[in-house]
Amino acid sequence: MSLLHVINHPMVQHKLTIMRDKNTGSKDFRELLNEISLLMGYEVTRDIPLEDVEIETPICKMTAREVSGRKLAIVPILRAGLGMVEGLHTLVPVAKVGHIGLYRNEETHEPVEYYCKLPEDIQDRLVIVTDPMLATGGSACDAISMLKKKGCRNIRLMCLVSVPEGIKKVQNEHPDVDIYTAAVDDCLNENAYIVPGLGDAGDRIFGTK
Ligand code: PRP
Ligand code: URA
């Protein structure tokens, strides 16, 4: 069974509260998502292995620690997952970025694929899939399946707000994928929106409504 990591750091919670507020505009929403993504990235990468490296400080030689060969890829689920890329990239500037385009059919709530472009060596990388909203879990599960078809074996899912239903679906279909979230909300409404949630993440990031 995959692990569920709830990132309840006070600064993450504080920023998330401002994002949830319906009076927060797109500019602030984007900036806060960016900041939270960097803070969450700190936890998502917490167990990345280190190796010894010999360096020389201005004072003397020393054996220091650096991140070992394992490479990283960030894969946002379009559109809203894009809002979490910059923060992670600030933390890991050498990470490559792939894109998976999925949108939910408004009636069935099933994800529909429309784009996929991934780094050539994606199967050799630790992949962090980003999407602020884990609702029914359909989009996350499809994106993870697409990555597995390309040979990825080391995948983590980073979202902002989730619900038990979506978490359960990911854990059932992809028990090898750990989930990182800043909040586990109550439930889904009749339109499969998260309650209380923060509304439509894509629209709030890009100002489309
Ligand atoms: C939203 C969100 C997730 C998906 C979550 O995307 O960004 O990708 O819904 O819902 P699920 O867990 O029920 O699949 P949306 O389809 O609204 O597309 P957008 O990001 O392009 O607005
Ligand atoms: N997608 C969103 O953007 N928000 C939700 O609450 C559910 C799916």
Side-chain angles (χ1 to χ4, degrees):
M1 172 68 80
S2 77
L3 293 178
L4 174 68
H5 306 259
V6 181
I7 305 194
N8 55 8
H9 188 287
M11 292 318 301
V12 170
Q13 295 304 314
H14 180 83
K15 289 172 193 292
L16 174 57
T17 298
I18 303 172
M19 291 182 74
R20 286 184 189 273
D21 189 326
K22 67 176 185 182
N23 296 314
T24 299
S26 279
K27 177 175 178 289
D28 288 343
F29 191 91
R30 271 196 310 275
E31 286 174 1
L32 288 159
L33 183 57
N34 197 19
E35 291 164 17
I36 291 182
S37 302
L38 194 152
L39 295 171
M40 290 185 71
Y42 194 75
E43 287 302 325
V44 178
T45 56
R46 176 176 280 285
D47 61 349
I48 282 184
L50 294 171
E51 63 188 16
D52 288 347
V53 55
E54 303 302 322
I55 60 161
E56 203 169 339
T57 75
I59 310 297
C60 66
K61 290 185 177 174
M62 74 171 284
T63 304
R65 311 280 283 151
E66 70 174 18
V67 172
S68 69
R70 200 172 180 197
K71 301 182 222 156
L72 211 124
I74 306 163
V75 177
I77 301 177
L78 308 182
R79 290 177 300 169
L82 283 174
M84 302 181 93
V85 173
E86 195 184 323
L88 280 178
H89 233 172
T90 304
L91 192 66
V92 190
V94 296
K96 294 208 171 166
V97 182
H99 295 87
I100 291 179
L102 296 172
Y103 68 87
R104 290 199 318 180
N105 177 299
E106 282 183 9
E107 273 147 35
T108 64
H109 309 133
E110 290 291 325
V112 181
E113 180 191 335
Y114 64 90
Y115 189 74
C116 181
K117 180 79 180 169
L118 301 169
E120 270 181 8
D121 60 352
I122 188 87
Q123 69 283 352
D124 301 328
R125 293 176 177 267
L126 164 61
V127 181
I128 303 175
V129 176
T130 66
D131 193 329
M133 310 310 280
L134 180 60
T136 65
S139 303
C141 281
D142 278 15
I144 294 166
S145 296
M146 288 164 72
L147 288 164
K148 287 185 174 173
K149 274 191 202 135
K150 300 277 180 188
C152 299
R153 289 291 167 264
N154 198 355
I155 304 170
R156 297 175 183 188
L157 173 64
M158 179 171 131
C159 45
L160 185 64
V161 181
S162 55
V163 282
E165 187 173 336
I167 293 167
K168 207 176 291 173
K169 184 171 169 71
V170 173
Q171 288 186 326
N172 283 341
E173 294 187 20
H174 300 289
D176 55 315
V177 175
D178 279 5
I179 303 169
Y180 295 77
T181 185
V184 180
D185 277 12
D186 299 341
C187 57
L188 295 174
N189 68 13
E190 62 283 4
N191 297 317
Y193 272 79
I194 295 176
V195 180
L198 47 70
D200 188 304
D203 283 341
R204 294 197 66 186
I205 292 168
F206 297 107
T208 38
K209 250 184 204 153

